[in-house]
Amino acid sequence: VSRTLFDAPRYEGGEDAERKLFFVAVTRARDVLVLSRFERQRNSRSPSLFLREAGLPVRSVRPDDGFPRVSVRPPRADEETLHVLTVGDVVAYLRCPHQYRLRNLWGYEAPLRPDIGFGRSVHHVLRVLAERVKERGDDPLAILDEVLRDHFHLPFRTREDTMAVAGRVRANLEAYLRDHPEVVMRADEVEARLEFLLDGNVRAALSGRVDVIHGAGNGFLEVVDYKTAQDDDRTEREAALQLRLYALGLGKLGRPVTGARIDAVTDNRVTPVDVGDSAMAQAEALARGAVEGICNRAFRPAPEGCPGLCDVGRICPSA
């Protein structure tokens, strides 16, 4: 496919994306980690930049030298499989375990909506604005029209319909950026991938993607979650739980979060989220309960009864 037909750098990533991939790979090892490389294929090869950054010694080994013998201990009886779930899985399960099973495990898809992809597209526009501000110092309001034209896309609408929706999005984002310029002006990380271990009766790791992480120095670190009214059906309570779990993960990685907020970008409304000790402990307990329920296959309908006609309501006996 010609590189002129798609945004190649967006899909190929860069050095930072490769560095994160390297980090994820090496931190999966439990007993032994072996890193090897070709010294020569057709031409000489220098060691990876990431090996040098990690401070690991690099030595040459010939086939007849033999390799060090390594003893790998057998797993203990009390060790369990590490379950990897997403923060979104936790939120979906707590909404309704039965709905979670139907959609996430059994594959019942939601009905197709013409505006599917709206929220993701708005997220991407804000990401591009933040990257342009950071890399080139652009004024986000001055380049908003250009970024919307190049990056706003609704896959199931015509180009004309998409541009009409983009016009309304422009008015919403212009008001939002005028009132809250810091969300792109001080964005340290945008759509930051996160993975952390969750303590509890079940060994589990939670992963997710934080919309924005930004700080203002003096120990201040804030996480921001974008919410779009068009296709984001999370309640504010669910979005707040998601943010607290991101804050929990960052804290476990040595980056304590001091503030959090939900930005309803299409309504120009900002809601602070409590990340104090009590709220965080409650969020962690909820996440533990959800992980245990998923791993133990406890999929009863929501205890409080059906919260409304959801997208699998027609095949749910509790609806």
Side-chain angles (χ1 to χ4, degrees):
V1 177
S2 170
R3 293 171 62 84
T4 62
L5 298 179
F6 68 104
D7 184 1
R10 174 184 172 191
Y11 292 95
E12 291 174 351
E15 188 177 288
D16 282 342
E18 292 293 327
R19 183 175 286 106
K20 289 178 180 177
L21 184 61
F22 176 78
F23 174 81
V24 169
V26 299
T27 53
R28 287 298 176 277
R30 296 185 61 182
D31 294 287
V32 176
L33 174 67
V34 178
L35 301 173
S36 62
R37 70 180 186 93
F38 286 105
E39 195 169 71
R40 169 181 287 275
Q41 290 173 304
R42 291 183 180 175
N43 301 311
S44 295
R45 298 281 181 177
S46 59
S48 163
L49 164 69
F50 308 134
L51 287 175
R52 295 201 301 271
E53 288 181 350
L56 300 176
V58 178
R59 68 185 182 92
S60 296
V61 177
R62 298 187 180 280
D64 53 358
D65 289 345
F67 289 90
R69 295 185 64 82
V70 176
S71 293
V72 179
R73 63 173 177 79
R76 296 193 305 267
D78 61 343
E79 287 186 333
E80 300 175 9
T81 304
L82 178 68
H83 300 273
V84 181
L85 298 166
T86 68
V87 171
D89 286 332
V90 169
V91 172
Y93 179 85
L94 291 172
R95 173 182 290 185
C96 175
H98 184 55
Q99 184 193 59
Y100 174 85
R101 174 166 58 180
L102 288 173
R103 291 185 58 178
N104 295 52
L105 301 183
W106 290 357
Y108 286 89
E109 296 289 348
L112 182 65
R113 293 182 292 186
D115 286 333
I116 192 169
F118 176 89
R120 182 171 294 182
S121 199
V122 171
H123 279 60
H124 182 60
V125 166
L126 288 165
R127 174 182 181 172
V128 172
L129 289 172
E131 289 172 346
R132 292 273 294 268
V133 168
K134 191 171 185 178
E135 293 170 6
R136 294 162 34 178
D138 289 341
D139 176 356
L141 288 171
I143 61 171
L144 181 56
D145 286 332
E146 173 194 342
V147 173
L148 278 169
R149 183 188 67 239
D150 294 342
H151 296 279
F152 185 79
H153 175 58
L154 297 176
F156 295 102
R157 280 190 177 271
T158 64
R159 181 67 178 169
E160 292 74 18
D161 284 349
T162 298
M163 288 298 96
V165 175
R168 297 194 292 273
V169 171
R170 186 202 181 286
N172 292 334
L173 289 184
E174 183 177 29
Y176 170 70
L177 291 170
R178 286 192 188 282
D179 291 346
H180 308 285
E182 72 284 352
V183 78
V184 294
M185 302 296 285
R186 294 206 310 265
D188 297 325
E189 297 178 61
V190 182
E191 294 190 15
R193 293 183 180 275
L194 178 69
E195 186 169 292
F196 59 96
L197 290 173
L198 185 69
D199 301 323
N201 296 327
V202 176
R203 294 187 67 252
L206 290 184
S207 65
R209 182 180 295 180
V210 190
D211 287 342
V212 176
I213 302 173
H214 69 70
N218 299 320
F220 177 81
L221 189 71
E222 184 176 53
V223 288
V224 180
D225 183 77
Y226 296 137
K227 195 172 187 302
T228 55
Q230 195 92 352
D231 63 348
D232 189 341
D233 61 354
R234 293 174 303 160
T235 65
E236 284 204 348
R237 183 179 178 181
E238 290 170 339
L241 173 61
Q242 208 162 328
L243 270 177
R244 290 182 182 119
L245 293 178
Y246 292 151
L248 176 69
L250 287 167
K252 288 178 179 289
L253 297 174
R255 303 178 65 187
V257 171
T258 54
R261 69 190 218 200
I262 302 164
D263 284 20
V265 294
T266 48
D267 298 335
N268 192 17
R269 184 165 46 86
V270 171
T271 305
V273 173
D274 180 11
V275 287
D277 291 344
S278 176
M280 295 295 289
Q282 184 181 22
E284 187 170 10
L286 285 171
R288 281 200 205 103
V291 167
E292 290 175 16
I294 292 170
C295 295
N296 293 328
R297 306 188 66 78
F299 296 118
R300 290 183 177 276
E304 64 274 15
C306 184
L309 185 61
C310 67
D311 50 29
V312 290
R314 293 184 178 181
I315 58 171
C316 176
S318 300

